[in-house]
Amino acid sequence: MTTNIAVLVSGRGSNLQSIIDSIESGSIRDVKVSVVISDVKNAFALERARRHGIDAIFIDPRSFVDKKAYEQDVLKTLGQYDIGLILLAGYMRIVGREVIEAYRNKIINIHPALLPSFKGLHAQKQAFDYGVRVSGCTVHFVDEGMDTGPIIIQKCVPVLEGDTPDTLAARILEKEHQIFPEAVKLFVEGKLKVEGRVVVRT
Ligand code: GRF
C-alpha cells in the first residue's frame, strides 16, 4: 500500500527535495509526495514540486479571518489526498491543535539543532552565538509545543574554528538531508512507535 505524503513548506525546499530524490532513487519505497502546501506564494519549494509533477498549492494565511480558519482550509486540502504522513520541511508556522489531533503522531518536523536546545527560529545562529562545540539536527514528531515532540533521529556536527552561522548551517543542512529521508523510511516501514515522549524502533 502506498503512503501519501503531504509536505508543508515556506521556503527554498531543499529538505523537500531530499525526500523527492530518495523516493525517485528507490531508497524509500511505497510512498508518494501527493501534495506540497506552502503558506508563502513564491516559495521555491512549490516550483520544485511542480518540476516533479506534484500538486503544489499556495494557501494564503492572510485571506482567512484567523489561524483556525486558515488551518481548516489546510485540513480540507489534506483531506483530498488521503494523507498518511505530513512533513514539515521548513514550514515557518506553529501547527495548531486541530491539525495535530487529526494527524496525531503522523506529523514529522526537521529542526536544525540538537533539541531540546535551541528551539524556534534561527537555531543554527542561536547555537553558534551560544558557543557550543557540537550542534546538529533533529527529526521529531510534532506535538502541541514548539519543537518539543518525540525525537526520531538526531545527527551531530562539530563547530569548527573560523565557522560563521552560515558555514555551520550548511554543515547541518547536509545532515538534515540524510536524516529526514531516513526518518520517513522508518515511518512508512512501520518501524516507529511513540511511547510517551520516547520513540521506540520496532
Ligand atoms: C531547514 O534548516 C530546516 O531544518 C528548518 O528550516 C530549514 C528549511 O530549509 N526547519 P529548506 O526549505 O528545506 O531548504
Side-chain angles (χ1 to χ4, degrees):
M1 219 184 68
T2 302
T3 303
N4 289 311
I5 299 180
V7 186
L8 272 53
V9 297
S10 301
R12 75 191 153 177
S14 70
N15 279 289
L16 163 68
Q17 191 70 53
S18 75
I19 300 298
I20 293 172
D21 292 347
S22 300
I23 295 170
E24 289 188 353
S25 72
S27 358
I28 313 178
R29 290 171 192 276
D30 303 324
V31 291
K32 182 181 172 204
V33 178
S34 302
V35 62
V36 171
I37 299 173
S38 174
D39 64 334
V40 173
K41 189 166 189 221
N42 298 320
F44 186 59
L46 287 173
E47 176 58 26
R48 292 184 196 262
R50 284 185 207 107
R51 286 180 190 175
H52 291 267
I54 298 165
D55 285 3
I57 299 174
F58 164 54
I59 302 181
D60 187 354
R62 287 170 306 183
S63 66
F64 298 90
V65 282
D66 56 18
K67 173 173 168 152
K68 197 169 169 184
Y70 160 69
E71 290 202 332
Q72 286 296 341
D73 200 68
V74 172
L75 275 174
K76 199 172 115 203
T77 306
L78 294 170
Q80 290 161 8
Y81 290 89
D82 186 25
I83 293 302
L85 173 64
I86 299 174
L87 300 179
L88 308 184
Y91 181 62
M92 304 306 281
R93 281 172 192 274
I94 295 179
V95 176
R97 184 173 290 276
E98 280 180 53
V99 177
I100 290 169
E101 277 170 4
Y103 292 91
R104 176 71 62 190
N105 293 337
K106 290 183 180 165
I107 309 177
I108 292 178
N109 181 46
I110 175 89
H111 182 75
L114 294 174
L115 293 172
S117 294
F118 312 119
K119 298 182 174 106
L121 291 177
H122 311 299
Q124 307 96 324
K125 185 168 185 314
Q126 286 185 53
F128 182 85
D129 290 346
Y130 196 89
V132 296
R133 293 293 169 195
V134 177
S135 192
C137 46
T138 304
V139 183
H140 65 95
F141 284 109
V142 173
D143 65 10
E144 282 80 359
M146 186 183 61
D147 300 326
T148 53
I151 291 170
I152 303 169
I153 307 180
Q154 294 186 297
K155 200 102 178 177
C156 304
V157 304
V159 180
L160 302 176
E161 285 308 314
D163 260 348
T164 63
D166 286 347
T167 57
L168 177 60
R171 191 173 307 118
I172 293 170
L173 191 64
E174 267 183 49
K175 302 294 181 198
E176 293 182 37
H177 296 162
Q178 291 170 18
I179 67 172
F180 205 27
E182 259 176 66
V184 170
K185 186 172 157 69
L186 290 170
F187 179 91
V188 295
E189 289 175 351
K191 292 184 176 158
L192 300 177
K193 197 166 146 223
V194 181
E195 290 182 359
R197 68 149 300 110
V198 174
V199 177
V200 178
R201 302 241 183 128
T202 57

